[in-house]
Amino acid sequence: KNAHDKMYPASITKILTCIVAIEMLDDLDKTATITQSDIDTVWETGATSADFTVGEVVTYRDMLMGAMLPSGADACRALANNTCGSQEKFVEKMNQLVKKLGLKDSHFVNTTGIHDDDHYTTAYDLYLIFNACIQNDTFKEIISMSSYTMSIGDAAGNTHSLEVLPTNYYSLGKTEAPEGIKVFGGKTGTTDQAGCCVILYSEDMEAHPYISVIMGAEDKAFLYQEMNRLLEAEKALSE
């Protein structure tokens, strides 16, 4: 329904951020230090965070997990700064991938999904982006995690643990999928302009894969109610 209408993706943007970064990285265990630039604007804009702090030493795997599971804007900014040197150069690569996928109704201006009138997509375009994402085993592994614990270092050589959890209610156990449907994971997003949004990868009883997208829901209760209706429709297709 309305699959080609212009919509705001909010933090579902981060699926594109992560796949662009993954394709640029050859060693996810390589480390980088969190800088003030990675933290800038996160709190001012009310974005969600992976709770990284300036001076911490994290791996690129940690950044990816921090971006996709708790939807950390700081993790997204760190990925962009450390792979391309700036947010702007990284966003150029995001839009290059959009063009490569043949998408004509999408344009991105940041790595996080913070609202901008010129940062938009459609449900169908998000499906195409997510379909490209799940062809990558690393991406697929990340979205399937129900939790992830980082071992984070500091400048003094000390380490501490940080556990991050996914934001989608299926992975958190707050919502159950219809019987016969297995939800592997996905990405949520919420802003005032975008409403409540979620994109999921799931399989039916015959192991047929599905990508499901709901955007613009008025609240999370309605979002997951509608998603379960969509998942029920997938189940019916396999019966």
Side-chain angles (χ1 to χ4, degrees):
K1 180 181 178 181
N2 303 326
H4 298 284
D5 286 2
K6 176 181 173 180
M7 305 285 284
Y8 299 119
S11 286
I12 294 182
T13 297
K14 292 163 186 166
I15 65 173
L16 180 59
T17 301
C18 284
I19 195 59
V20 169
I22 288 169
E23 291 182 349
M24 296 177 64
L25 295 168
D26 55 11
D27 182 3
L28 298 187
D29 294 318
K30 183 179 177 181
T31 61
T33 301
I34 299 298
T35 67
Q36 186 60 49
S37 178
D38 303 330
I39 308 298
D40 281 346
T41 77
V42 173
W43 301 113
E44 295 90 331
T45 57
T48 49
S49 169
D51 290 333
F52 292 153
T53 59
V54 174
E56 288 182 333
V57 179
V58 301
T59 66
Y60 285 101
R61 189 184 309 278
D62 293 339
M63 294 180 208
L64 290 165
M65 293 289 184
M68 282 299 296
L69 297 184
S71 197
D74 48 356
C76 292
R77 291 182 60 85
L79 283 168
N81 288 334
N82 283 285
T83 54
C84 286
S86 74
Q87 301 298 299
E88 294 76 16
K89 289 181 179 177
F90 190 91
V91 170
E92 286 180 13
K93 291 193 175 291
M94 292 168 67
N95 284 309
Q96 287 170 9
L97 181 54
V98 164
K99 186 176 180 180
K100 181 180 177 182
L101 292 173
L103 311 186
K104 302 186 184 302
D105 298 313
S106 295
H107 182 256
F108 296 86
V109 300
N110 60 58
T111 61
T112 63
I114 287 298
H115 181 75
D116 188 295
D117 286 348
D118 203 31
H119 186 100
Y120 58 85
T121 186
T122 68
Y124 183 70
D125 280 6
L126 282 181
Y127 150 70
L128 292 174
I129 292 169
F130 200 52
N131 189 51
C133 290
I134 61 173
Q135 308 309 312
N136 182 282
D137 289 341
T138 297
F139 184 94
K140 204 170 174 181
E141 177 189 4
I142 292 170
I143 66 167
S144 71
M145 303 284 285
S146 58
S147 70
Y148 177 75
T149 301
M150 309 175 190
S151 180
I152 297 177
D154 61 23
N158 303 310
T159 60
H160 68 274
S161 297
L162 175 65
E163 183 185 26
V164 291
L165 303 174
T167 55
N168 86 77
Y169 279 11
Y170 297 98
S171 297
L172 283 174
K174 291 185 176 182
T175 296
E176 287 190 12
E179 185 178 354
I181 296 290
K182 179 179 181 181
V183 174
F184 284 89
K187 186 74 194 75
T188 62
T190 305
T191 63
D192 289 344
Q193 297 85 353
C196 295
C197 313
V198 64
I199 189 166
L200 296 178
Y201 171 66
S202 63
E203 290 185 355
D204 65 16
M205 293 176 289
E206 304 298 324
H208 298 136
Y210 290 90
I211 292 171
S212 312
V213 191
I214 301 285
M215 304 181 73
E218 60 194 33
D219 56 38
K220 290 185 179 178
F222 187 63
L223 175 68
Y224 288 99
Q225 175 186 317
E226 288 297 287
M227 178 54 78
N228 269 353
R229 287 181 62 195
L230 194 53
L231 295 176
E232 283 281 7
E234 296 170 10
K235 178 182 175 182
L237 289 173
S238 68
E239 293 177 344

